[in-house]
Amino acid sequence: MSTGGAGQHHWDQLEQSSGVLLGRGGVAVSDVTQRVVTCSHGPIGFPRRAHRDPRKVKTYRSASTTTHSNPTKVSEKVGGAEGTKLDEDFTEMEKKVDTTTRAVIDIMTKTTEYLQPNPATRAKMSMMNSMSRMRGQEKGPGYTQTEAILGESMQRFGRELGEESNFGLALIDAGECMRELAEVKDALDMEVKQNFIDPLQNLHEKDLKEIQHHLKKMEGRRLDFDYKKKRQGKVTDEELKQALEKFDESKDIAELSMFNLLESDIEQVSQLAALVHAQVEYHSRAAEILTQLCSKIDERIKDCSHKPRKEYTPKPRTTLDFSSISENHNGGIHSARSPGARSPARSPARSPARSPAPMDQPCCRALYDFDPENEGELGFKEGDIITLTNKIDENWYEGMLHGNSGFFPINYVDILVPLPH
C-alpha cells in the first residue's frame, strides 16, 4: 500500500475511529516519548503531518518515569478506555528491581573511589587498562599506592643520610613499613575487586539487563493488546486472543526473573560480607605493621637518650698576616696553631676566599656578619674585605663587595686602608 492517496485516507479513518495517533502498520505512538516504530516503509515518528487537527488526537501520557531503560510505569487511557493494569505485587517487584539496579551502579562507583581516591590516577589507570585490553593483555599495570610512593621517598633520603644518622635509620625503618602497607593495600584492592565489585558488575550486566529486556518486551506487548482490545469488532477474536497470550507470556517471564533476583539477594549479602572481611583483614595487618614500627622508633629514641652527648670542639681558624700587607697585596694567610682568644677589633676572616679586594685602595675587613634590613644597605659576612668608596657620617660607610654597592655601619668593620682625607 502506498503512503499517499487512498492509503493515507485509510490511516486517517483508523486514527479518527480509535482516537489514537498511528504509525504505519497500525502501531500506537506516544507524543511524550516520541517513540519510533518500524514497519515495511521504514521508521516514522510523531508528528507525521503538520496540519493535523489536535482535537482528533488522543495520546499516551506517562505518569512517572525512571532514570534508566526500565519501561515506564503508566497510568494511561487509550481512546478514553483505561489500559491494562499490572497487579500490585508485580509493580512492587518492579520498584525493588529498579532500586537494586541504581544501588549496584552507585555502590560500584563509590567502592572504586574508596580504594583509589585520586581521581587523576583513576582516570589514568582506566585508560591504561583499556589500552592493555586492546593489546590483548590480561591486565594493565597495577594502581600505585600512595603508601608505596611515601615509603620510597623515606628510604631514598634515609640512605642518603647514612647509617651514622639516627634520623636516616628511622626513615629507612618507616619507609619499609610504608612499603608493607602498600602491599597490604594491594591485597585489599584485589580481594574487594574479585569478591565484591566483579560480582556486582556481573549482576548488573547479566541479570538486571535481562530483567530490563523482559520488562521492555512486556510493555510493548501490553500496548499492542490494549490497542487491539479497544478495536474489538474490527480485529478478529483470534488476533485479540493471541495478543493477550503474548502479553501474559511476557509478564510471566518478567515476573519470574524479578522474583528470582529478589529472592536470591542473599548472594549480595555474601558479597557485602566479603568487602567487610577484606577491610577487617587490611586494618588488622596495617595495625600490626604500624605497631612494630612504633616499637622500633621508641627503642631507637631510648638508645639515643642513653648515649653520651658529643661535645663540639672548634677547629683552628685561619688568620691574616698583616705584617706583610704593605709588601704583598694579597696578604699572607696561615693557620693559627691554637684556638686562642681574639681581640674583637681583630676578628679574622672565615676563609681566604673572602679577600678579593686589593690592598692598594681604601678597604676594610668585616668583623661580624651584617644582614641588610633596609634598601641600599650592603650585606656581608665576617672576614669579607670591602672596598671603601665614601664615608657618609660618623656611623656609616659606603663600600663595594662582589660588584654590589651599599651602606654599612662603621662598628661592624675594621679599617685596613683608610679613605684619603
Side-chain angles (χ1 to χ4, degrees):
M1 181 186 295
S2 65
T3 58
Q8 184 61 59
H9 178 68
H10 172 69
W11 289 114
D12 290 342
Q13 285 183 330
L14 285 177
E15 289 171 352
Q16 291 175 17
S17 64
S18 64
V20 180
L21 176 60
L22 302 176
R24 293 184 177 87
V27 181
V29 182
S30 169
D31 71 329
V32 177
T33 60
Q34 307 249 330
R35 184 164 55 90
V36 175
V37 295
T38 305
C39 66
S40 61
H41 298 285
I44 358 187
F46 172 77
R48 185 153 52 84
R49 295 184 311 176
H51 65 272
R52 181 173 307 280
D53 186 351
R55 292 173 298 178
K56 297 180 181 178
V57 180
K58 295 187 180 180
T59 60
Y60 289 87
R61 289 206 177 270
S62 172
S64 63
T65 58
T66 57
T67 57
H68 53 84
S69 61
N70 190 36
T72 55
K73 302 171 180 61
V74 290
S75 175
E76 57 193 9
K77 290 188 176 181
V78 182
E82 190 172 355
T84 303
K85 284 189 174 181
L86 300 170
D87 59 85
E88 187 175 339
D89 290 340
F90 186 95
T91 304
E92 187 64 26
M93 279 196 296
E94 195 173 4
K95 289 180 180 178
K96 290 181 179 179
V97 169
D98 173 56
T99 303
T100 301
T101 302
R102 289 185 288 110
V104 166
I105 295 174
D106 194 61
I107 290 172
M108 283 192 300
T109 302
K110 297 297 191 299
T111 304
T112 303
E113 293 174 0
Y114 163 74
L115 294 175
Q116 302 174 358
N118 188 325
T121 306
R122 275 203 313 274
K124 179 180 177 182
M125 293 304 300
S126 176
M127 181 270 294
M128 296 178 73
N129 287 331
S130 299
M131 294 299 296
S132 298
R133 286 194 295 270
M134 291 172 62
R135 294 172 182 147
Q137 300 172 358
E138 292 185 1
K139 58 181 295 187
Y143 178 81
T144 303
Q145 304 294 348
T146 53
E147 292 87 347
I149 298 173
L150 175 60
E152 192 276 332
S153 175
M154 286 180 168
Q155 289 189 316
R156 183 176 72 252
F157 287 108
R159 288 189 293 268
E160 285 187 22
L161 288 172
E163 296 183 357
E164 296 182 357
S165 169
N166 292 315
F167 182 44
L169 293 175
L171 280 177
I172 292 175
D173 291 340
E176 179 63 22
C177 171
M178 292 296 114
R179 186 190 63 78
E180 293 180 11
L181 286 176
E183 293 179 354
V184 175
K185 188 71 177 293
D186 283 336
L188 171 67
D189 287 0
M190 188 177 301
E191 184 75 15
V192 172
K193 185 178 184 304
Q194 290 179 351
N195 298 322
F196 183 67
I197 295 180
D198 285 353
L200 287 182
Q201 187 75 28
N202 185 66
L203 173 68
H204 175 257
E205 293 182 353
K206 292 185 178 180
D207 296 348
L208 292 174
K209 279 191 175 181
E210 182 180 350
I211 290 175
Q212 297 307 320
H213 169 73
H214 292 320
L215 289 172
K216 187 176 180 181
K217 187 175 182 180
M218 180 206 72
E219 186 67 13
R221 289 183 172 182
R222 183 170 76 91
L223 291 173
D224 181 63
F225 169 66
D226 287 345
Y227 167 70
K228 290 180 179 178
K229 183 171 63 173
K230 171 59 184 171
R231 297 187 64 223
Q232 273 184 309
K234 298 181 180 180
V235 297
T236 64
D237 292 342
E238 183 65 25
E239 287 180 324
L240 185 61
K241 182 179 179 181
Q242 288 180 357
L244 177 59
E245 288 178 351
K246 288 181 178 180
F247 166 62
D248 287 338
E249 178 187 2
S250 295
K251 179 177 176 294
D252 291 342
I253 294 175
E255 191 170 19
L256 178 61
S257 61
M258 291 191 296
F259 178 82
N260 290 336
L261 173 72
L262 297 175
E263 286 299 311
S264 62
D265 61 352
I266 189 64
E267 295 180 10
Q268 284 75 63
V269 178
S270 300
Q271 293 154 10
L272 185 61
L275 169 66
V276 176
H277 291 158
Q279 288 176 303
V280 170
E281 177 66 19
Y282 164 71
H283 288 292
S284 298
R285 286 285 299 123
E288 179 182 340
I289 293 170
L290 290 172
T291 301
Q292 293 175 357
L293 174 63
C294 189
S295 299
K296 285 184 179 181
I297 292 179
D298 289 342
E299 189 67 25
R300 194 175 299 281
I301 293 173
K302 184 178 179 180
D303 291 343
C304 291
S305 63
H306 291 160
K307 290 182 179 179
R309 186 180 180 86
K310 293 181 179 180
E311 296 295 333
Y312 172 69
T313 303
K315 296 180 180 179
R317 295 186 175 185
T318 58
T319 59
L320 289 173
D321 184 2
F322 295 105
S323 61
S324 60
I325 285 180
S326 58
E327 300 176 0
N328 186 353
H329 294 302
N330 293 328
I333 299 176
H334 60 84
S335 298
R337 296 184 180 274
S338 63
R342 297 183 291 107
S343 170
R346 293 290 181 179
S347 176
R350 289 184 174 178
S351 68
R354 288 191 180 144
S355 301
M359 295 300 179
D360 60 349
Q361 57 184 334
C363 62
C364 62
R365 178 170 52 84
L367 298 174
Y368 318 104
D369 293 351
F370 177 65
D371 296 321
E373 297 180 355
N374 302 303
E375 186 177 357
E377 294 180 348
L378 179 66
F380 48 76
K381 300 293 184 182
E382 179 186 350
D384 282 341
I385 303 300
I386 306 164
T387 301
L388 296 174
T389 58
N390 189 24
K391 184 176 181 180
I392 305 302
D393 55 28
E394 297 297 324
N395 299 314
W396 290 85
Y397 270 121
E398 182 181 12
M400 293 187 63
L401 176 64
H402 305 313
N404 298 320
S405 177
F407 310 108
F408 56 88
I410 291 176
N411 58 355
Y412 272 69
V413 299
D414 180 29
I415 304 300
L416 302 179
V417 178
L419 285 165
H421 295 290

